[in-house]
Amino acid sequence: MSRNAPDGDDADTSNSRPQSNQGSTPVRTPRKQQKSSQQRLHTFQTPLHADESPTPTPSPSSRRLYPGTGGRTATDPDDSECATPTPAPHRYGLRARRASRGLSNKNNNNNNNNNNNIQTRVRNRNRNNPNCTCSHNTRPPASIMASGGKWREEQILIICPGSRTTMAQLGCGELSPPAHRIPTRMFRDEEEPEQWRPYYTYKRTTVTDGVEREEWVEDVDEDKGAVWPIEGGRIVQMDAFLAFLDHVHGLLTTTYHNTPIMLMASPQWTRPDCETIARYIFEKTKTPALCLIHSGIATQYGLKWPNMTVVDIGYEKVDVTAIHDGRVVNHMDLGRPLPDRFISGGEVFTRKLLQLLEGQGFNHDMAEQLKKSGICEVLPYAPAKKELMDLPVESSPNASQSQPRSTAAPGTTAEEGAAPGSGAVDSTVAAAAEAASQHAPTTDEPAVEEDVAMEDNDGLDTNVDEDGVLDVASIVTSGQTKEFLAKKEKEKEKEKGKPGRKSNKDKDGDAAAQARPLRQPNSKKVRNTFSYEEIVMEEVPKEVPAPVSAPTQGAGGGGVEEVVATEKAAEPAAEKAAEPATEPAAQGTQAEEDSKAPAPAATETEAPVVKTEESKPNGDDNDNENGTESKPAADVANGEQGKAADADTGAKANADADASAKNGEPPELRPKRIRREIEVGLERFLFADRAEIDRIVSTIYRTIQGVEDMYMRPACWDNLVFVGNGSRLRGLKDNILQTLNARHLISPSTATMFTSELPSNVATPAGTGSQTPVGSFSGAPHQLASSGVNPLLQAATTASTLGVAGRDTIQVATGSTPMVGSEAAGPASGHHFHSQTPTSIRTIALPTYLSEWSKNGFEEAMFLGAQVAARIAFCLHSNMDAQAIEAQKSMSLSRVDYNEHGPKAIRTHSMLS
Amino acid sequence: MWARISHHLRTDSLGALLRASQPIGRQPLRIANMAQQPLPSSAQPTDIYGGDEVSALVLDPGYCNTRAGYAGEDVPKSILPSFYGHITSDPPRDLFGDECIIPRGDFEVRNYMNKDSVVEDWDVAAKLWEFMLVKRLQPERQTHPSKNGLNDDIKEQDGEGDVAMEEVEGLEKPLEEFPLLMSEAPWNSPKAREKAIELSMESWGTPAFWLSRTPVLASFAAGKATALVIDVGGANTSVTAIHDGMVLKRSIQRSPAGGLWLSSQIRKMWETSEPKVDLVPTFMVENKTPVDALAPPQARLREFPFKIHDSFRAFEEERVLTEFKESVVEVWRGPGRYGAAGNEEYIKSQPGRVFEMPDGYNQMWREQRFKVAEGMWDENAGYPVPEDERLNKAQTIPELIRSALNSVDVDLRGTLLGNVVVTGSTSLINGFNDRLNNELTAMYPGLKIKIHAAGLSSERRFGAWIGGSILASLGTFHQMWISKKEYEENGAGIVEKRCK
């Protein structure tokens, strides 16, 4: 597994997409050149493949489609955006970028049918016009235009664009999580600024067979110069956005004429925006029908409650949409790009984290990874505390040294920033390690489970490549690779059988309980470590062109691969044996170290307590080597500091250096993945910016309280849902909910209980329970729910009997809290609702019958809803009466209607409000 | 002379126009007593008016809120408080929108409208309106990509608010494709009207413009060309007779008996209540603990490292007062007035309503919740307030109606009373319509009184905007617009001639 990957990809892709001929078409570039360029760019991907395979990907076919999926974890700051790349069971979309990359392979194949070089291609302007629109020149004539809204589920293209990532999929038959996550970005063509390219493209000169050639190379990962057409939900670059839509379409399908499009619209899209999009789609493409759906409505279709308040926490924006009976009744948002923009959403937390940790050498990428890791969490709202959260305090007597630090986080920052990588850090590590081991035996069972749940399921989850602090290198080098992998595989098999987080959690909890010593939950630890992965460009020898690719395979991909243990890891491990001598030597020493290391590393299945303090996160290989050298002291002191990862990389650097020396060729830059353990203190809790949470809380409050018809408000309060990948931040939803409850909840008042003149025999409200202030009480406390309540009691406790019966606004206070979907809520009966709200604040129950979504998390429920809506709008043909047909017709805009009414028809033929 | 005649023709046609046309869109109109029944929405052909092609914008500024949106839609897309944030530190800036009105230092809340619902600060008005009409309702402008990037930042630094204007001058103007219909208070000054058309034509480049008075629009929203419009708004209550789409100028009556006045009554009530009720606005409360009724609140208050300006606090207090009005305050429906013998005793025997303050303090309100609103009807009732805030007899709602009707032709009174349109958010107070009906019946026995008040709160709150939305989306309204050409030929004065 390695450099061949691209070829493998090709094969896979072409399997699944027989119409694309990329696998077999002759190359425009000379073979060798192509190879090297492939390799160069694919080195990014090769190690990543290894990761990918064991992931419980939704469907085998989709995995096949995305060979590159599962790569370098989360180098992207995208995650928190609404349509964030999120692989199935992850809390954050750690491998998202990869997914899109894998996708992009395919795109290239697709867009450039004549040119099979995947990553690199010589640009032929005539054929491969940079504007990806043109790639559709070859589509079949659209003579067969579907009419009358009859399409099959697999024909429908679903696109949910977000500011960072767009979720897309062809077909809505499976109701699966999005098959594709594509960065929402385009690049201006350097030569024709009016044109857009889907990837970063640069020119380079290569020498092949003595001939110097210029070629254009696409780097599918590069963000440089990217234009992000959507900002905070608003389309800021319409032409780029349209080109992007076209690009997405091109990735997923080749024809337009029978592919209706379901496009999710952010609430910020203006009416002219929607019309422009409609116009483009109908005039520039042969799309038969288009449905625009409001993202809040889409969420509602996904979760199927008639009344909801959708809180969509995205990358740089928060949308709060109150929906009553399927209609948007109020909407507010944060983070609109305005002259003065105050962003809101996931990125705010990343920035805050960065701000806190900058002194420790963190960069944005590290902050992002830390945020996504299991150890970063928003602690529960503690109403009485000064910081409004229960920060853990150092409890180990041995750790008195770090006591002051832990209570004052900024202090920590300063100290660590001042003494990078030297003794001070080591002692910190030692202290922390000691503290950890001290705590371990004292912790009880539930704590462990919680811990496991948090570390392994929520944030990092059980995928091999995300095993968080799993120190693969040490396992590999300790010679237990096979056993370990077998075990992991078994676990995974079991997990696959059991969908849903809960079961995973339980199972893992059990397994872990047996396998590892007991530990504290993350929220009780002053310090904790997370595993940071980055890709650095390292110099490697340029390959000697060899007739057989096998040797190069080892040299090319192996180095990085070993760090990444997957099912394929056995292979590189085997290959390693053949590698230059320095490496085994290094491994040998590590193995010794490892074997010396006591219990934790060996026994813990997933997260050995390996603390590695990296003072310089961006450290290159030299740093790593230095680190290795300086560590033994620490190792001795701690007795359990397996420095395997660093040592390993260091060793490999040596090996590579040697090799390059041998070859005597100019070294080539090659990406390499490095994983390091970084310890973080209380910053990982303190980043939970109260100001930001307060903003979200008050926006929710104002949105619902701003719903004009009061009777709708209780239903909206009782059906909150948090979506958007920004809400995956651990603890955030709970904290928001707790804050709402602590700040805004209207409690049942004692005034109604004791001041009304009740007959003594009905005085005790226990019979109905409706007036008892218990936790689950949900009615209007001052006006009582009518159902089942003694009418006398009700009359006595409400101001309903003023002798004006018969008027059209009898104010029988409320009747009842409008129940989900009930008609009683409406003003139809002449009853007006005048209760103060909220008397209860609850989130909705998420559907449980969609196991893939349970695994994926309903943060992307809008995509699910878009699929459901697409089915209804496009695929429902039978058992409909005239009214239903009419309603269906107004859900989407067909070409016939477009031809008749023009773009403005999208105003009435859509699901925008 | 000709202009005069044509103007008459035109204005006459406004009413005729409404009669001839149906409101379009998905407007859920509840038209009660109209000569023509609306088509069922499913049968409405979208382009019967041909006017659907016009993407007109409708702007309805009020004291509390400013509403803007596309004609033909049933609610304004963009609703912003007319209050805006002003950063006093250097550089001074204005911030628009609820999102920006948050506690911060060096920050004041101001309003560009005055309590007469007339624009006071035209500079800010222009900025706020442009913000709503352009930034919120129009797509990002693509014409000059170079301006999208760094240039914006530079401008922001030096430019405080004229940014938009400068940009506009350089580029094509932002609303060149959108006719604009604006609403105004019936007592708006000619100067302000000219200012509005100038702004629209010069700064935004609108191809057509129309200025319409809020009561006219509100009556349109109710589907009536002739009506007695009672608009109980935030800062004002006005009573206006509309005949065939025209305001009968002499009938215009107004008084401050609106939302603000009611707020001051509630404040007074809280102050004089025993125990005194402390108004702690929501933004100051970090969290609260439930307490017994009348017990002192137990809330943790938020601390700010800066001084909160009084104007901000007042703005936030108003939110609490609004909630109180929504859920507690009620108009005594009758029989008779609140002060009539026995009524108060009767109410006292009835259970009241509990209100929980943001800090958790809660209390049941019985007769007081009627008393606060009674002052709108009876100058002798209500809570005592300083002399200058007190309503005199002529300012109560029944008297406003009486004088409005007295100023119109006797023949018209019956028609008007058969078409009473109630609009404005303060009219949403519980019991308002019942009381109004009682008062009118008592004042005009023997005349048929028919009150039209929209059932949906949004239709009541945005009555004038909705009317504008209907009017501007009528294809036949095309001929009414003041076109850019007319403006260029006649100057700003044209608005006085045309928009009567």
Side-chain angles (χ1 to χ4, degrees):
Chain A
M1 183 71 196
S2 62
R3 203 173 51 113
N4 279 356
D7 300 334
D9 293 353
D10 278 359
D12 285 349
T13 330
S14 51
N15 281 347
S16 60
R17 302 175 36 81
Q19 72 271 41
S20 64
N21 54 354
Q22 78 284 53
S24 54
T25 326
V27 207
R28 315 215 128 251
T29 33
R31 182 74 184 158
K32 258 182 282 170
Q33 182 193 359
Q34 180 200 354
K35 223 177 201 170
S36 72
S37 52
Q38 263 183 14
Q39 181 204 349
R40 174 198 265 205
L41 289 161
H42 265 276
T43 31
F44 268 90
Q45 290 195 331
T46 31
L48 310 167
H49 286 281
D51 275 337
E52 194 260 335
S53 22
T55 318
T57 328
S59 71
S61 66
S62 69
R63 182 168 6 143
R64 217 188 313 132
L65 275 171
Y66 308 113
T69 317
R72 143 179 112 194
T73 53
T75 35
D76 55 340
D78 305 0
D79 58 305
S80 41
E81 160 60 10
C82 132
T84 297
T86 311
H90 288 248
R91 175 169 266 259
Y92 283 103
L94 296 188
R95 287 171 308 143
R97 191 86 164 274
R98 266 314 131 188
S100 57
R101 256 163 234 157
L103 187 59
S104 31
N105 289 351
K106 187 173 146 239
N107 168 52
N108 285 354
N109 301 338
N110 179 24
N111 271 0
N112 306 282
N113 286 343
N114 301 322
N115 193 340
N116 92 325
N117 188 342
I118 301 183
Q119 297 294 319
T120 308
R121 56 191 150 106
V122 177
R123 188 153 79 191
N124 178 335
R125 284 212 170 267
N126 295 331
R127 292 227 190 155
N128 302 318
N129 192 301
N131 185 351
C132 61
T133 334
C134 301
S135 61
H136 302 289
N137 286 345
T138 53
R139 66 176 170 253
S143 50
I144 355 136
M145 270 232 278
S147 60
K150 306 220 173 196
W151 291 281
R152 279 172 292 126
E153 287 172 352
E154 60 269 25
Q155 291 176 317
I156 292 156
L157 180 61
I158 321 255
I159 306 176
C160 292
S163 318
R164 292 303 282 190
T165 310
T166 293
M167 298 180 279
Q169 179 172 306
L170 183 65
C172 56
E174 300 284 321
L175 295 185
S176 52
H180 304 255
R181 293 184 172 85
I182 307 155
T184 313
R185 57 170 191 210
M186 291 304 271
F187 298 83
R188 253 181 219 287
D189 192 284
E190 274 178 35
E191 295 179 358
E192 293 171 46
E194 291 308 302
Q195 307 277 22
W196 296 93
R197 301 190 63 83
Y199 306 112
Y200 176 68
T201 311
Y202 61 97
K203 204 190 268 182
R204 73 172 176 197
T205 315
T206 46
V207 182
T208 341
D209 299 335
V211 183
E212 204 168 279
R213 288 168 158 263
E214 273 196 351
E215 62 178 12
W216 287 92
V217 185
E218 283 192 342
D219 185 341
V220 295
D221 294 333
E222 184 60 56
D223 265 352
K224 196 160 93 186
V227 168
W228 301 86
I230 301 182
E231 225 176 78
R234 187 173 163 92
I235 301 175
V236 291
Q237 280 272 342
M238 181 54 90
D239 49 344
F241 182 71
L242 294 176
F244 176 75
L245 279 186
D246 217 282
H247 163 64
V248 172
H249 189 283
L251 287 180
L252 296 177
T253 177
T254 45
T255 59
Y256 268 111
H257 67 280
N258 59 358
T259 307
I261 297 177
M262 165 65 70
L263 178 64
M264 189 184 80
S266 303
Q268 289 85 358
W269 292 12
T270 62
R271 195 164 89 169
D273 278 336
C274 297
E275 287 168 19
T276 308
I277 291 168
R279 184 183 195 124
Y280 179 84
I281 284 179
F282 283 111
E283 290 182 8
K284 291 286 177 7
T285 76
K286 302 271 192 256
T287 304
L290 168 72
C291 176
L292 287 182
I293 187 168
H294 185 285
S295 64
I297 298 280
T299 308
Q300 195 208 11
Y301 269 75
L303 301 174
K304 298 200 163 182
W305 292 86
N307 312 314
M308 283 193 350
T309 301
V310 180
V311 183
D312 183 346
I313 303 178
Y315 170 63
E316 286 182 338
K317 66 117 181 32
V318 174
D319 277 315
V320 184
T321 312
I323 297 172
H324 191 271
D325 216 9
R327 278 186 52 235
V328 175
V329 287
N330 203 8
H331 171 86
M332 287 181 95
D333 51 28
L334 290 172
R336 254 178 210 257
L338 296 170
D340 270 310
R341 184 167 185 210
F342 307 101
I343 63 160
S344 180
E347 178 68 6
V348 171
F349 295 107
T350 308
R351 289 192 191 171
K352 184 81 183 176
L353 204 50
L354 180 59
Q355 183 198 330
L356 288 173
L357 288 166
E358 224 156 11
Q360 294 175 32
F362 268 62
N363 58 25
H364 188 277
D365 183 30
M366 294 170 79
E368 185 68 30
Q369 281 197 35
L370 171 58
K371 189 185 84 177
K372 288 187 237 163
S373 75
I375 67 163
C376 209
E377 64 180 300
V378 181
L379 293 177
Y381 185 76
K385 297 280 169 145
K386 183 165 176 293
E387 303 92 348
L388 298 166
M389 58 176 117
D390 268 318
L391 284 174
V393 286
E394 200 86 60
S395 58
S396 162
N398 291 7
S400 54
Q401 170 196 4
S402 47
Q403 188 86 40
R405 265 211 318 264
S406 62
T407 43
T412 317
T413 316
E415 187 178 329
E416 291 186 2
S422 60
V425 174
D426 283 342
S427 69
T428 321
V429 173
E434 270 176 32
S437 55
Q438 284 264 337
H439 295 321
T442 60
T443 336
D444 50 7
E445 189 77 17
V448 168
E449 285 203 13
E450 198 187 340
D451 191 18
V452 170
M454 286 190 294
E455 295 216 341
D456 301 330
N457 283 316
D458 285 352
L460 302 164
D461 224 308
T462 49
N463 289 329
V464 167
D465 68 319
E466 276 319 309
D467 270 347
V469 269
L470 169 60
D471 190 346
V472 180
S474 69
I475 293 163
V476 170
T477 50
S478 65
Q480 298 172 331
T481 322
K482 286 244 167 70
E483 294 87 320
F484 174 76
L485 289 173
K487 193 172 162 199
K488 292 255 77 169
E489 272 311 290
K490 238 192 278 168
E491 279 179 17
K492 215 159 307 282
E493 285 307 313
K494 276 195 245 163
E495 275 166 30
K496 275 181 190 163
K498 286 187 186 178
R501 274 177 184 220
K502 189 107 188 173
S503 58
N504 275 353
K505 192 187 282 185
D506 295 347
K507 199 207 69 58
D508 252 36
D510 293 345
Q514 296 158 8
R516 69 165 93 171
L518 308 169
R519 289 190 302 145
Q520 279 190 314
N522 177 50
S523 58
K524 299 280 179 241
K525 286 184 192 165
V526 174
R527 310 184 70 75
N528 205 346
T529 55
F530 81 107
S531 148
Y532 170 65
E533 282 186 29
E534 65 177 336
I535 297 193
V536 294
M537 298 300 281
E538 102 183 319
E539 285 196 345
V540 295
K542 200 159 191 178
E543 268 169 50
V544 187
V548 197
S549 60
T552 40
Q553 215 174 330
V560 187
E561 265 172 23
E562 335 172 302
V563 188
V564 187
T566 64
E567 63 181 11
K568 304 254 176 167
E571 205 181 316
E575 288 168 11
K576 244 186 318 184
E579 287 199 19
T582 44
E583 194 161 305
Q587 285 170 0
T589 55
Q590 279 164 22
E592 279 173 27
E593 281 178 23
D594 282 345
S595 60
K596 273 192 288 180
T603 49
E604 287 192 14
T605 32
E606 310 224 1
V609 190
V610 178
K611 312 256 186 235
T612 309
E613 192 74 22
E614 276 296 324
S615 56
K616 198 179 166 212
N618 285 329
D620 52 17
D621 291 323
N622 280 338
D623 270 7
N624 285 339
E625 280 175 275
N626 292 342
T628 323
E629 281 160 18
S630 66
K631 286 305 186 216
D635 288 351
V636 172
N638 297 333
E640 53 164 288
Q641 291 280 318
K643 299 300 300 173
D646 283 2
D648 199 31
T649 42
K652 225 155 306 118
N654 285 343
D656 291 337
D658 283 3
S660 79
K662 269 182 231 152
N663 291 336
E665 293 214 3
E668 192 175 69
L669 279 180
R670 203 173 52 186
K672 161 169 175 164
R673 200 157 71 132
I674 294 177
R675 169 177 285 179
R676 280 172 298 127
E677 310 289 306
I678 300 176
E679 199 190 35
V680 193
L682 291 175
E683 293 89 349
R684 67 188 206 280
F685 305 125
L686 292 169
F687 79 105
D689 192 14
R690 279 316 301 178
E692 172 65 9
I693 293 175
D694 284 341
R695 272 176 90 198
I696 299 175
V697 163
S698 51
T699 305
I700 296 172
Y701 180 74
R702 286 186 199 167
T703 305
I704 304 182
Q705 293 299 98
V707 171
E708 265 117 31
D709 289 290
M710 292 181 73
Y711 71 92
M712 297 173 176
R713 295 179 195 168
C716 291
W717 278 116
D718 279 340
N719 294 282
L720 285 175
V721 64
F722 293 89
V723 295
N725 286 314
S727 67
R728 287 182 192 257
L729 179 55
R730 192 203 256 187
L732 180 62
K733 295 177 218 177
D734 296 330
N735 191 302
I736 291 176
L737 214 56
Q738 287 152 358
T739 312
L740 276 172
N741 271 300
R743 193 175 296 164
H744 296 301
L745 190 74
I746 305 295
S747 324
S749 170
T750 51
T752 41
M753 263 175 151
F754 304 116
T755 55
S756 41
E757 291 134 3
L758 299 177
S760 57
N761 57 340
V762 289
T764 323
T768 63
S770 61
Q771 207 177 6
T772 322
V774 290
S776 64
F777 176 68
S778 66
H782 311 147
Q783 281 82 24
L784 296 184
S786 63
S787 51
V789 180
N790 184 322
L792 259 183
L793 184 66
Q794 189 188 355
T797 49
T798 58
S800 63
T801 50
L802 285 179
V804 286
R807 291 278 155 65
D808 58 353
T809 48
I810 313 168
Q811 156 243 359
V812 173
T814 78
S816 57
T817 307
M819 299 319 278
V820 170
S822 82
E823 286 300 311
S829 59
H831 290 217
H832 279 217
F833 179 91
H834 283 280
S835 271
Q836 214 183 342
T837 46
T839 52
S840 72
I841 303 172
R842 284 178 300 187
T843 51
I844 59 161
L846 295 168
T848 50
Y849 45 85
L850 293 165
S851 59
E852 283 185 4
W853 279 96
S854 302
K855 261 187 268 172
N856 181 72
F858 281 92
E859 280 79 5
E860 291 167 334
M862 64 290 273
F863 189 78
L864 172 60
Q867 293 179 70
V868 174
R871 277 185 177 182
I872 298 171
F874 297 129
C875 306
L876 209 59
H877 316 308
S878 53
N879 290 331
M880 298 211 301
D881 54 15
Q883 206 183 355
I885 290 171
E886 195 59 42
Q888 187 190 37
K889 246 182 115 182
S890 71
M891 282 176 83
S892 64
L893 180 59
S894 70
R895 183 167 283 279
V896 176
D897 285 335
Y898 178 83
N899 289 340
E900 199 174 321
H901 302 293
K904 71 179 160 91
I906 199 75
R907 300 174 199 166
T908 45
H909 290 69
S910 63
M911 305 171 74
L912 286 174
S913 62
Chain B
M1 192 61 197
W2 179 87
R4 201 186 172 93
I5 294 164
S6 80
H7 141 68
H8 272 294
L9 285 174
R10 282 166 192 275
T11 36
D12 279 346
S13 66
L14 201 63
L17 182 155
L18 185 75
R19 278 196 301 278
S21 315
Q22 290 306 316
I24 69 144
R26 288 166 296 153
Q27 167 70 21
L29 283 175
R30 313 257 155 89
I31 297 170
N33 188 18
M34 259 179 71
Q36 71 286 354
Q37 289 303 310
L39 296 168
S41 62
S42 60
Q44 280 182 15
T46 36
D47 54 357
I48 188 168
Y49 308 112
D52 206 24
E53 298 292 345
V54 188
S55 274
L57 291 166
V58 179
L59 178 69
D60 175 28
Y63 175 77
C64 293
N65 286 301
T66 299
R67 291 131 321 232
Y70 286 100
E73 294 186 333
D74 50 6
V75 281
K77 267 260 155 53
S78 173
I79 304 162
L80 254 58
S82 296
F83 294 86
Y84 63 95
H86 180 79
I87 292 184
T88 49
S89 60
D90 205 50
R93 284 176 298 157
D94 295 328
L95 304 173
F96 304 122
D98 254 327
E99 179 188 338
C100 302
I101 305 184
I102 50 173
R104 55 169 99 196
D106 300 326
F107 184 73
E108 287 175 26
V109 174
R110 300 178 175 180
N111 196 328
Y112 74 94
M113 302 284 281
N114 64 19
K115 292 191 180 171
D116 291 332
S117 302
V118 169
V119 177
E120 190 164 75
D121 186 337
W122 275 95
D123 291 342
V124 179
K127 277 191 276 175
L128 182 85
W129 292 346
E130 177 161 328
F131 175 84
M132 296 179 78
L133 294 170
V134 180
K135 288 267 180 203
R136 288 267 171 133
L137 296 176
Q138 301 299 316
E140 205 75 20
R141 298 215 278 146
Q142 300 295 311
T143 25
H144 290 256
S146 58
K147 306 236 175 199
N148 293 344
L150 294 169
N151 293 353
D152 288 352
D153 291 341
I154 296 163
K155 276 187 177 169
E156 261 173 41
Q157 281 161 13
D158 59 8
E160 72 198 89
D162 295 351
V163 178
M165 302 309 255
E166 288 163 20
E167 220 167 60
V168 165
E169 261 133 39
L171 317 175
E172 62 186 75
K173 297 186 173 149
L175 298 178
E176 280 187 348
E177 288 167 25
F178 300 91
L180 175 68
L181 187 144
M182 263 183 74
S183 75
E184 58 170 354
W187 48 85
N188 203 13
S189 70
K191 211 167 169 199
R193 309 181 92 203
E194 287 179 12
K195 197 115 185 172
I197 192 172
E198 253 175 55
L199 187 65
S200 167
M201 292 285 182
E202 307 278 347
S203 304
W204 304 330
T206 53
F209 180 81
W210 188 258
L211 198 58
S212 201
R213 295 190 168 86
T214 45
V216 177
L217 296 178
S219 72
F220 276 26
K224 296 174 191 304
T226 300
L228 183 70
V229 178
I230 301 174
D231 182 351
V232 193
N236 282 290
T237 290
S238 69
V239 177
T240 316
I242 310 291
H243 183 246
D244 211 14
M246 285 231 311
V247 168
L248 300 179
K249 278 200 173 156
R250 278 174 305 145
S251 72
I252 302 170
Q253 301 293 326
R254 67 178 167 127
S255 91
L260 281 186
W261 180 85
L262 193 54
S263 293
S264 72
Q265 284 283 297
I266 298 170
R267 283 174 192 271
K268 197 78 201 166
M269 174 180 91
W270 282 346
E271 274 168 30
T272 53
S273 169
E274 190 57 47
K276 184 169 173 266
V277 180
D278 229 1
L279 175 49
V280 178
T282 310
F283 84 95
M284 291 181 66
V285 178
E286 178 59 52
N287 52 60
K288 63 185 179 187
T289 317
V291 292
D292 281 347
L294 299 172
Q298 286 176 23
R300 174 171 166 182
L301 297 186
R302 287 170 74 182
E303 287 154 19
F304 298 98
F306 42 78
K307 194 179 171 303
I308 299 289
H309 196 269
D310 289 344
S311 60
F312 177 74
R313 189 180 163 126
F315 178 77
E316 288 288 324
E317 284 174 353
E318 205 59 43
R319 291 187 199 272
V320 181
L321 290 162
T322 301
E323 204 184 335
F324 189 82
K325 290 178 209 169
E326 281 178 339
S327 52
V328 175
V329 173
E330 189 163 342
V331 174
W332 171 248
R333 293 155 206 258
R337 301 202 154 177
Y338 173 84
N343 276 348
E344 189 159 351
E345 284 63 40
Y346 171 71
I347 297 166
K348 278 182 181 163
S349 72
Q350 294 298 309
R353 282 176 172 274
V354 176
F355 187 78
E356 180 171 326
M357 302 292 285
D359 59 6
Y361 175 85
N362 64 89
Q363 179 179 349
M364 179 170 278
W365 302 94
R366 291 160 186 270
E367 73 283 354
Q368 306 99 316
R369 67 196 189 95
F370 292 96
K371 199 176 171 190
V372 280
E374 187 63 16
M376 299 168 98
W377 308 91
D378 180 354
E379 72 282 1
N380 297 317
Y383 284 84
V385 286
E387 185 65 38
D388 55 330
E389 289 176 33
R390 199 169 298 162
L391 296 183
N392 56 38
K393 185 168 172 64
Q395 286 174 321
T396 58
I397 291 175
E399 289 308 313
L400 289 177
I401 296 170
R402 193 192 303 274
S403 28
L405 284 177
N406 284 343
S407 64
V408 303
D409 198 295
V410 185
D411 298 343
L412 209 50
R413 289 183 196 159
T415 323
L416 290 175
L417 281 170
N419 292 283
V420 176
V421 170
V422 177
T423 187
S425 25
T426 307
S427 73
L428 286 165
I429 295 219
N430 212 355
F432 185 92
N433 290 336
D434 291 337
R435 176 62 176 271
L436 182 64
N437 196 34
N438 278 348
E439 294 279 345
L440 289 177
T441 318
M443 278 157 64
Y444 300 98
L447 282 177
K448 184 176 173 271
I449 289 156
K450 176 88 187 169
I451 293 179
H452 175 92
L456 283 179
S457 308
S458 56
E459 285 179 33
R460 203 93 70 84
R461 293 189 56 197
F462 311 131
W465 187 90
I466 291 171
S469 169
I470 293 171
L471 185 62
S473 61
L474 296 176
T476 37
F477 186 63
H478 268 299
Q479 51 186 321
M480 307 280 302
W481 292 106
I482 299 173
S483 71
K484 194 168 186 67
K485 193 154 166 274
E486 277 177 280
Y487 168 77
E488 279 160 0
E489 284 169 8
N490 298 289
I494 182 98
V495 74
E496 268 301 290
K497 293 192 194 114
R498 292 280 306 279
C499 306
K500 283 286 179 188

